[in-house]
Amino acid sequence: MSIVNHFPVLAVVVLLLFAYLMPLLMRWRKEWCVPATLGAIGFSLIASLYMMWQVMTTGPFMYQMGSWAPPWGIEFSIDYLAVFATMTITIVGLIVIYYGTQDLLHELKEQVMGWYYTLYLLLMASMIGMVLTNDLFNMFVFVEICAIASCGIISIKESRECIEAAFKYLVLSAVGSGCLLLAIAMIYMVTGHLNFTYVAQALPQVMDLYPLNILVSLALFLVGLGVKAALFPLHVWLPDAHSSAPSPSSAVLSGLVIKVYAIAMIKLLYKVYPPELLGMAPIMNMILWMATLAIIIGSMFAIVQDDIKKMLAYSSIAQIGYVFLGVGLMSESALQGGILHIFNHAIMKSMLFLSAGAIIYATGTRKLSDLKGIGITLPVPTIAFSLGAFAMVGIPITNGFISKWYLALGSLDVGRPFFAAVILVSSLLNGIYYLPIVVNAFFGEPEGAVAEPRPLPRQMVVSLILLGSGVILFGVFPSLILGVVSKAAQSLLGLL
Amino acid sequence: MFISPFYAILVPILGGGLIALLKEEQDGPRNALAVFISILTFSIVAPTLPLVLTGEQLAFTAVRISGGLSIAFRVEPLGVIFAILASMLWIFSVIYATGYMSHEHHRRRFFTFYILALSATMGVAFSANLFTLYIFYEYLALITYPLVIHEQSAEAYSAGTKYIIYCFASGALVFLALFTLAGIGGSLTFSPTGVLASAVADNRLLISVMFFVAIAGFGVKAALMPLHSWLPSAMVAPTPVSALLHAVAIVKTGVFGILRIMFYIYGVDTLRELGVANILAIIVSLSIIVASVLAIKQTKLKSRLAYSTIGQLGYITLGATMLSPYGLIGGISHIVNHALLKIVLFFCAGAIITQTGATHLNQMAGIGRRMPYTMFFFSLASIGLIGVLPLTGYISKFYLLSGSLQAGKPILGFVLLTSAVLNSIYYLPIIISAYFTEGSYDKPNGLESPPSMFFPTAVLTVFCVLFGVFAHYTTLPIVNLVVTNIFQ
């Protein structure tokens, strides 16, 4: 029995353990906080890479908590989608908190720094748990931890907007959690199981007896996870929450947290509910139309913003639409595109938020109209921002292009070119709000604080360079990640 | 292994980087470096001409992205024509720009992007598939934006915004066609016989629609009416930009894209079967006539040249839509001929603007006295565009007319003749008023414009004559090769 066999659970538990150690370390050995946090997430990263290697070489496997076999014990399902998601979460999470170690010092009071690391580690643990778990109730627990930790890393800033935004988020997210709990109860009522595999086996048998219960549970899942993933029109909390939070929080919330709920949704739709049920209600079409509206309206809202972080937040609403578009189209390429976009968007949006954070850190301004000429005085964050902007528009050799390419091909595969047109229109809309910023940044004359920015600490620059090279690397060599993504899509569609 | 397209793209990128490293005041080294890089690029590209004439083709895949997507290059006749033309004219334009820009601001930025644009143009020329072409097409738009807004005046910014919106809309249309055709036909690799023949039967309507989507996409850059309006506004850019980019590189990229779509993706047989080329011919004919009429109404010299460009680019597309060998020879050779003639016209316009400050046509009365040689070059080039022997323009017009008869569409020949008449209506009065009207201009002291501007113009004018007289030794052999491949 070696330790690597327990990596699935350790990836979560180590993070939880360090989360609770943080306040203690803060009082006792302040300088240990940062290395301990980085070390814990680094461990999870190694664990997820190891699991990825295992899955890619020997195939998906199950991990039983305490060797209790289901349906009594809780299971973790380590499949292609799960390892893909844990890898995304740990890589991006590590880079973001490495950046945060410097940025947070100026955004937060010193005595809450330890609590921030606690909340951040809890958030990471809950996200990893959510994508690994194979149990409905366990998933609900992680959803709750995730929601509370997210509220925590927003409201920790103690400004009026942050508290207000966090409260709004808390209320809406509680409604979402209520829906989820009710949905889980309904499933449990008709099947008597909570384990995904057992529920999936039981549902086709009871579908004729209790069709309404099952449909309502699906609707409740859609609403509950939709609120949390900010799927249009359930997105109202997102712009305030993501724009007022400290920049590393925004990066991780926009880049990772909303995607995790999308992954939970994918697992439920493709692995738990029987395909015949999807024929009973136009659920996939509803998701498609919500995604389409999200893409178009999110981009339109983003165009009129003057606050850099608010614009990025609205853009996230549009981008989560792409993920759900891939989920709803039910074709292999589209699902690949959607899943791939989870990863690509995690990289580019966290990079955009972090470069916005760096600009705010160095100049103190967050108004887009004040950022003239910033490309000359602050080249690294501005170039990173421009790269992110190009990726959002979907210019080739950035990773954004690849996910759009697969989504577009997918929509043609199923004979619905309308959605390919939606992707194109949204690319143009993205161009309308991102490119003027880039132009302004490089061709204006710097004034005021923009002309003499504070120097950026090494941690911020390194994080931005890492994420920026990721955007190019996965744009030119998408096969690095496509292997696991296409396996995930195939196994979800039952083609493997 | 000698992979010339790769170096032709790489050298200007590195060169642009080096230029960006020099300081704003280091004009001498920068100018020398810019000229050196363009000469180096030309000398890399030039050997491909004898290579393709012997029938050999070099192919090179840089990156396989995924699925059917790859960034790949290929040295084949049509690309070689465009690459040699562009890299040759780049040398002259860079020399000209060193003189023209000597009193302008932001020279470092200007030359950096001017040289980078060469790289994107080489990429377009040597693309082996539609995806690679699309990438370089988009990058060309991004790289040339700083050149369009160079003046940084309100007018320049609004022209720049218009330019970038048109370019991205055009890119989006090309992208739409790109993935649709990839979805239907599978392959996007250019082949002189087209790649869609087998897929037409099942998807006739979609393929026909995508033809117009792709043509509209590239048509924006080719300034096909009614998608042309960015071009006259972009004339606010410095004249070397107007000359090179808006008479040669960018607009010809659009035309080049149209040719690639028509003959290398769709193929002659597919086009004949779909019958889409006739509809395009009507649109292009209207574009030619309307642009020529609008050119007459322009009072600014550069705007008149811009509208004339729109009309002349129409000739190339018109030649392609005839789907006859002669028509295509005329169209492709007009890529070369129009580039030579129009760049001379723009160089003359730039010399006039810097030396006398005259931008409007009514300020140019009697300017022949102040700038006799420049106006002489201008007159030669403009009668060349009208199609007078022995300048190079007549070759393409002759073939275009023969092509229209060969294709059994004499009406298209009539369009060409009408346009020639209109051309003379808007060019000849400029020449007449320059030489035969009293103006307030005096004779020049010494050379009428700085040598770096005068000699490129003079040499290119000589080229215009040589390419006309010796067409059978210069453009026509390789153009014939392209057309034989297509019409097999």
Side-chain angles (χ1 to χ4, degrees):
Chain A
M1 215 31 138
S2 89
I3 187 168
V4 291
N5 293 343
H6 294 287
F7 266 168
V9 70
L10 285 177
V12 180
V13 170
V14 168
L15 291 173
L16 285 177
L17 182 73
F18 274 81
Y20 297 123
L21 276 179
M22 276 308 142
L24 204 65
L25 283 180
M26 196 63 199
R27 275 159 214 279
W28 181 45
R29 286 278 192 272
K30 210 178 261 178
E31 64 282 1
W32 288 9
C33 279
V34 172
T37 311
L38 294 176
I41 301 179
F43 172 78
S44 292
L45 173 61
I46 292 166
S48 12
L49 288 176
Y50 180 77
M51 287 192 284
M52 176 120 150
W53 175 76
Q54 260 182 314
V55 169
M56 290 310 281
T57 48
T58 58
F61 61 97
M62 290 289 176
Y63 177 85
Q64 290 161 358
M65 216 61 87
S67 300
W68 284 88
W72 298 279
I74 293 171
E75 259 188 336
F76 274 7
S77 154
I78 295 88
D79 55 12
Y80 297 107
L81 183 63
V83 290
F84 161 78
T86 48
M87 192 206 60
T88 310
I89 292 167
T90 44
I91 288 183
V92 177
L94 187 62
I95 296 177
V96 168
I97 196 65
Y98 181 60
Y99 169 102
T101 51
Q102 286 301 311
D103 185 60
L104 291 166
L105 292 174
H106 94 115
E107 288 203 66
L108 300 182
K109 289 185 189 137
E110 211 196 328
Q111 62 268 35
V112 298
M113 283 299 292
W115 291 113
Y116 188 89
Y117 294 127
T118 303
L119 290 165
Y120 193 86
L121 289 171
L122 277 178
L123 188 66
M124 295 298 293
S126 66
M127 286 194 289
I128 296 174
M130 215 188 301
V131 296
L132 285 177
T133 188
N134 200 34
D135 184 283
L136 278 170
F137 195 77
N138 192 232
M139 183 184 86
F140 175 74
V141 173
F142 284 124
V143 167
E144 284 294 80
I145 301 177
C146 189
I148 290 167
S150 311
C151 281
I153 61 169
I154 299 168
S155 61
I156 198 163
K157 206 169 150 189
E158 291 185 32
S159 73
R160 195 173 173 279
E161 301 90 57
C162 285
I163 309 273
E164 198 183 314
F167 189 68
K168 198 164 158 189
Y169 180 36
L170 194 62
V171 171
L172 280 166
S173 161
V175 173
S177 303
C179 290
L180 289 184
L181 192 58
L182 200 55
I184 292 169
M186 287 193 153
I187 295 260
Y188 187 64
M189 196 169 98
V190 296
T191 63
H193 288 297
L194 288 170
N195 186 294
F196 282 1
T197 324
Y198 285 78
V199 172
Q201 279 165 9
L203 274 180
Q205 299 159 19
V206 294
M207 207 168 64
D208 298 328
L209 286 172
Y210 306 103
L212 275 182
N213 283 38
I214 296 172
L215 276 179
V216 169
S217 72
L218 184 56
L220 287 169
F221 271 127
L222 185 58
V223 173
L225 292 172
V227 168
K228 286 164 185 285
L231 181 58
F232 184 88
L234 309 168
H235 65 277
V236 286
W237 57 271
L238 185 141
D240 292 336
H242 287 194
S243 63
S244 60
S247 302
S249 309
S250 315
V252 76
L253 288 172
S254 252
L256 297 174
V257 175
I258 52 175
K259 312 297 172 34
V260 174
Y261 299 111
I263 288 178
M265 194 75 213
I266 293 176
K267 282 169 106 175
L268 287 170
L269 281 172
Y270 285 94
K271 282 172 67 180
V272 176
Y273 283 96
E276 306 89 70
L277 183 82
L278 304 178
M280 281 166 66
I283 183 83
M284 287 305 189
N285 271 330
M286 283 164 64
I287 291 181
L288 276 182
W289 287 110
M290 283 160 90
T292 306
L293 289 173
I295 291 172
I296 301 292
I297 296 179
S299 306
M300 285 182 166
F301 273 115
I303 292 174
V304 296
Q305 305 302 322
D306 191 40
D307 180 316
I308 185 166
K309 284 178 73 177
K310 213 155 212 169
M311 187 200 82
L312 293 177
Y314 274 106
S315 149
S316 287
I317 296 173
Q319 299 291 322
I320 196 78
Y322 283 120
V323 176
F324 277 98
L325 195 68
V327 174
L329 277 168
M330 301 280 284
S331 90
E332 192 191 333
S333 314
L335 193 58
Q336 276 183 34
I339 296 174
L340 187 61
H341 202 59
I342 292 177
F343 176 76
N344 287 343
H345 182 248
I347 293 186
M348 58 201 188
K349 188 47 75 63
S350 50
M351 182 171 77
L352 283 166
F353 265 117
L354 295 185
S355 44
I359 290 170
I360 295 169
Y361 173 90
T363 66
T365 179
R366 46 192 293 162
K367 282 178 73 179
L368 289 173
S369 42
D370 291 347
L371 295 181
K372 281 198 190 82
I374 193 142
I376 301 152
T377 51
L378 273 180
V380 174
T382 321
I383 290 172
F385 190 92
S386 314
L387 266 181
F390 291 153
M392 287 281 167
V393 180
I395 292 176
I397 82 154
T398 59
N399 59 3
F401 172 79
I402 306 292
S403 18
K404 289 191 182 183
W405 174 260
Y406 277 94
L407 284 171
L409 280 187
S411 68
L412 288 173
D413 281 350
V414 291
R416 303 175 88 161
F418 170 78
F419 294 102
V422 168
I423 294 169
L424 270 184
V425 170
S426 108
S427 293
L428 283 182
L429 290 174
N430 283 344
I432 291 177
Y433 59 89
Y434 278 115
L435 293 182
I437 304 173
V438 175
V439 170
N440 229 343
F442 284 104
F443 298 107
E445 294 300 326
E447 289 168 13
V450 173
E452 281 161 11
R454 280 166 71 181
L456 288 176
R458 187 189 69 241
Q459 283 88 336
M460 291 176 141
V461 176
V462 169
S463 312
L464 288 174
I465 291 175
L466 279 177
L467 290 167
S469 15
V471 165
I472 300 290
L473 184 69
F474 292 106
V476 181
F477 304 105
S479 40
L480 295 174
I481 187 88
L482 263 173
V484 62
V485 169
S486 65
K487 288 267 190 192
Q490 283 168 359
S491 76
L492 288 171
L493 289 166
L495 299 172
L496 216 59
Chain B
M1 186 180 150
F2 179 67
I3 317 157
S4 74
F6 186 65
Y7 292 120
I9 295 161
L10 195 67
V11 164
I13 292 182
L14 297 179
L18 281 179
I19 291 175
L21 291 178
L22 292 173
K23 291 201 178 63
E24 182 73 34
E25 306 80 44
Q26 293 173 302
D27 285 307
R30 182 176 48 237
N31 291 345
L33 189 61
V35 174
F36 172 71
I37 290 162
S38 34
I39 291 177
L40 187 61
T41 311
F42 176 70
S43 55
I44 293 170
V45 174
T48 57
L49 180 67
L51 188 80
V52 291
L53 279 176
T54 59
E56 213 177 318
Q57 301 198 349
L58 282 178
F60 165 60
T61 304
V63 185
R64 246 175 244 293
I65 289 193
S66 71
L69 294 184
S70 61
I71 298 180
F73 303 102
R74 184 185 202 87
V75 182
E76 55 77 62
L78 183 62
V80 167
I81 296 177
F82 187 48
I84 290 192
L85 174 73
S87 57
M88 179 183 83
L89 293 181
W90 227 276
I91 300 176
F92 292 102
S93 312
V94 169
I95 297 172
Y96 182 86
T98 57
Y100 187 93
M101 298 304 289
S102 56
H103 304 294
E104 291 267 349
H105 53 94
H106 287 106
R107 292 181 299 275
R108 181 173 72 152
R109 184 179 77 195
F110 177 87
F111 279 103
T112 306
F113 285 101
Y114 207 68
I115 291 294
L116 283 179
L118 173 60
S119 156
T121 311
M122 291 301 110
V124 167
F126 287 121
S127 300
N129 57 40
L130 191 57
F131 176 68
T132 314
L133 178 63
Y134 165 74
I135 293 180
F136 284 102
Y137 184 75
E138 287 272 40
Y139 279 105
L140 187 60
L142 284 176
I143 289 169
T144 47
Y145 175 82
L147 300 173
V148 174
I149 62 158
H150 185 82
E151 292 300 323
Q152 298 197 333
S153 60
E155 194 194 352
Y157 274 117
S158 82
T161 310
K162 196 170 184 180
Y163 174 65
I164 206 82
I165 290 175
Y166 269 82
C167 283
F168 273 100
S170 122
L173 290 173
V174 173
F175 180 59
L176 178 63
L178 175 71
F179 68 68
T180 315
L181 295 178
I184 300 171
S187 170
L188 291 172
T189 307
F190 297 132
S191 142
T193 46
V195 294
L196 288 176
S198 56
V200 171
D202 300 331
N203 302 288
R204 208 185 162 82
L205 179 68
L206 193 57
I207 289 186
S208 307
V209 172
M210 279 309 134
F211 177 76
F212 290 103
V213 170
I215 298 293
F218 286 114
V220 170
K221 287 255 181 81
L224 197 60
M225 283 211 169
L227 309 168
H228 65 283
S229 96
W230 63 272
L231 182 61
S233 6
M235 288 297 138
V236 62
T239 306
V241 177
S242 314
L244 187 60
L245 301 180
H246 301 142
V248 187
I250 295 181
V251 291
K252 294 282 154 64
T253 314
V255 176
F256 186 74
I258 291 180
L259 292 177
R260 285 293 197 201
I261 288 284
M262 286 181 72
F263 297 105
Y264 291 80
I265 293 289
Y266 278 75
V268 181
D269 296 331
T270 314
L271 288 177
R272 285 205 178 113
E273 196 186 329
L274 293 173
V276 283
N278 290 334
I279 307 175
L280 185 60
I282 297 171
I283 302 172
V284 176
S285 307
L286 288 175
S287 171
I288 292 175
I289 302 290
V290 175
S292 305
V293 173
L294 286 177
I296 300 174
K297 291 174 62 185
Q298 303 303 316
T299 54
K300 267 183 152 178
L301 179 58
K302 276 176 77 179
S303 308
R304 188 169 281 193
L305 294 180
Y307 276 98
S308 155
T309 302
I310 299 171
Q312 298 287 332
L313 291 168
Y315 286 13
I316 304 169
T317 319
L318 193 68
T321 61
M322 289 172 187
L323 299 184
S324 66
Y326 280 154
L328 192 57
I329 293 179
I332 296 176
S333 53
H334 204 55
I335 294 184
V336 179
N337 298 340
H338 171 250
L340 287 170
L341 295 165
K342 193 46 79 57
I343 205 166
V344 170
L345 290 178
F346 269 112
F347 279 2
C348 296
I352 292 168
I353 291 169
T354 50
Q355 299 310 309
T356 68
T359 53
H360 284 71
L361 292 167
N362 55 13
Q363 296 166 324
M364 286 175 55
I367 204 160
R369 193 175 151 81
R370 166 72 179 80
M371 310 186 84
Y373 287 109
T374 305
M375 281 319 292
F376 176 65
F377 302 146
F378 188 93
S379 316
L380 274 183
S382 49
I383 60 172
L385 276 181
I386 297 166
V388 177
L389 278 167
L391 279 123
T392 175
Y394 90 95
I395 305 276
S396 20
K397 296 223 173 171
F398 171 74
Y399 274 106
L400 285 169
L401 282 174
S402 321
S404 72
L405 297 176
Q406 192 183 32
K409 293 168 189 160
I411 179 82
L412 298 181
F414 183 69
V415 169
L416 291 167
L417 291 177
T418 318
S419 154
V421 173
L422 291 169
N423 280 348
S424 48
I425 293 181
Y426 60 77
Y427 277 127
L428 294 181
I430 306 178
I431 303 169
I432 293 168
S433 89
Y435 281 119
F436 303 109
T437 322
E438 261 327 292
S440 52
Y441 292 105
D442 291 325
K443 282 208 168 112
N445 305 323
L447 204 57
E448 58 194 57
S449 56
S452 59
M453 293 164 76
F454 183 81
F455 289 109
T457 322
V459 173
L460 284 174
T461 314
V462 174
F463 276 21
C464 289
V465 180
L466 290 181
F467 273 63
V469 178
F470 299 109
H472 286 281
Y473 304 99
T474 51
T475 35
L476 285 178
I478 186 155
V479 174
N480 277 326
L481 183 64
V482 175
V483 175
T484 340
N485 282 344
I486 290 175
F487 284 92
Q488 274 168 5

